[in-house]
Amino acid sequence: MYGVKMIGDKTEIAQTKKALQTTQEELYSCTNDNNSKGNKIEQLNKTITKQNNTILKQASTISQKESSISELQNTITELENRLPKVVTIYQDRTVYKDKPEPYHRFGKNYCKLLVYTTCTSGYIKVWFDGDYVGQLTGHYSSAPNCNSTDYTLYKTLTAGKHHIEAENTSTKSTWDFYVTISEDDCYRHGLTCK
């Protein structure tokens, strides 16, 4: 009986050792798992800290840009409200010291020549400075505006004196004359019937 009791005790000790070993393995696994989770939490905290720093930098940059925009708007308002200083008065325009050169709608040193007719019969061939420009195929009862494209012939030319020639294909009437046009002007000339 004593021998059976001893075998039972050894079996119980072996089972206890095995249970203890299993518990130690589980404890080791839990410790590793906790360490891994701790590392992940630490990495996430570092990422959050970096993102917070980035947000703070961006907020600072936005604040600086808003300040710059405000300064520029104040400068624009100041410039718009400032009276210009006259430097030179030319025959046809005033040029200001603190403003750029005046806008030239046809280009610097250029003008526009527009020809139309009030004649109701025939087509009229037209030449500007010896160059054939085209043929007038319709007429106006009064002068058209400078932007008219129907029944007009027009050309952008250098400012100055220009020679106009025309001939009515039906009546054989002719026109031959000179005009002087200033820079930026649109000169409209009506060919009247002879």
Side-chain angles (χ1 to χ4, degrees):
M1 186 85 170
Y2 179 74
V4 171
K5 169 111 173 112
M6 204 165 178
I7 289 173
D9 286 344
K10 283 185 180 179
T11 303
E12 195 176 320
I13 289 171
Q15 288 174 348
T16 304
K17 280 184 179 179
K18 188 169 184 178
L20 183 61
Q21 185 179 358
T22 302
T23 304
Q24 284 176 337
E25 286 173 0
E26 287 176 359
L27 182 62
Y28 180 76
S29 176
C30 284
T31 302
N32 285 342
D33 194 35
N34 283 343
N35 286 341
S36 175
K37 287 179 181 175
N39 288 339
K40 286 181 183 175
I41 289 169
E42 188 178 339
Q43 288 174 353
L44 288 172
N45 283 335
K46 285 180 181 177
T47 303
I48 289 169
T49 302
K50 283 182 183 178
Q51 289 175 345
N52 285 338
N53 289 339
T54 302
I55 289 168
L56 289 173
K57 285 179 185 175
Q58 288 174 344
S60 173
T61 302
I62 289 169
S63 176
Q64 290 173 352
K65 286 182 179 178
E66 285 175 346
S67 176
S68 296
I69 288 169
S70 177
E71 286 177 20
L72 288 171
Q73 286 173 334
N74 290 339
T75 302
I76 289 168
T77 302
E78 181 185 322
L79 289 172
E80 285 175 343
N81 294 331
R82 184 188 301 168
L83 293 173
K85 299 173 188 173
V86 178
V87 172
T88 307
I89 298 177
Y90 292 95
Q91 269 184 355
D92 57 345
R93 66 185 184 278
T94 303
V95 177
Y96 298 99
K97 180 179 182 181
D98 55 349
K99 287 191 175 182
E101 169 119 10
Y103 170 71
H104 300 286
R105 60 183 175 157
F106 307 117
K108 186 169 173 54
N109 297 322
Y110 282 87
C111 61
K112 183 176 182 179
L113 173 58
L114 180 138
V115 172
Y116 65 97
T117 185
T118 57
C119 297
T120 56
S121 62
Y123 295 148
I124 299 175
K125 292 182 177 180
V126 180
W127 291 262
F128 293 167
D129 297 322
D131 294 330
Y132 179 70
V133 182
Q135 189 169 257
L136 294 171
T137 58
H139 70 281
Y140 284 88
S141 55
S142 61
N145 69 43
C146 197
N147 295 321
S148 294
T149 55
D150 294 332
Y151 309 123
T152 62
L153 294 172
Y154 55 90
K155 192 171 183 181
T156 301
L157 304 166
T158 55
K161 190 173 184 179
H162 295 283
H163 184 210
I164 301 173
E165 298 171 275
E167 178 186 8
N168 188 314
T169 58
S170 177
T171 64
K172 300 301 179 190
S173 299
T174 59
W175 294 264
D176 190 347
F177 57 93
Y178 288 88
V179 295
T180 301
I181 313 171
S182 300
E183 179 184 37
D184 299 329
D185 282 350
C186 176
Y187 183 87
R188 295 173 295 166
H189 188 86
L191 301 174
T192 54
C193 294
K194 295 183 177 184

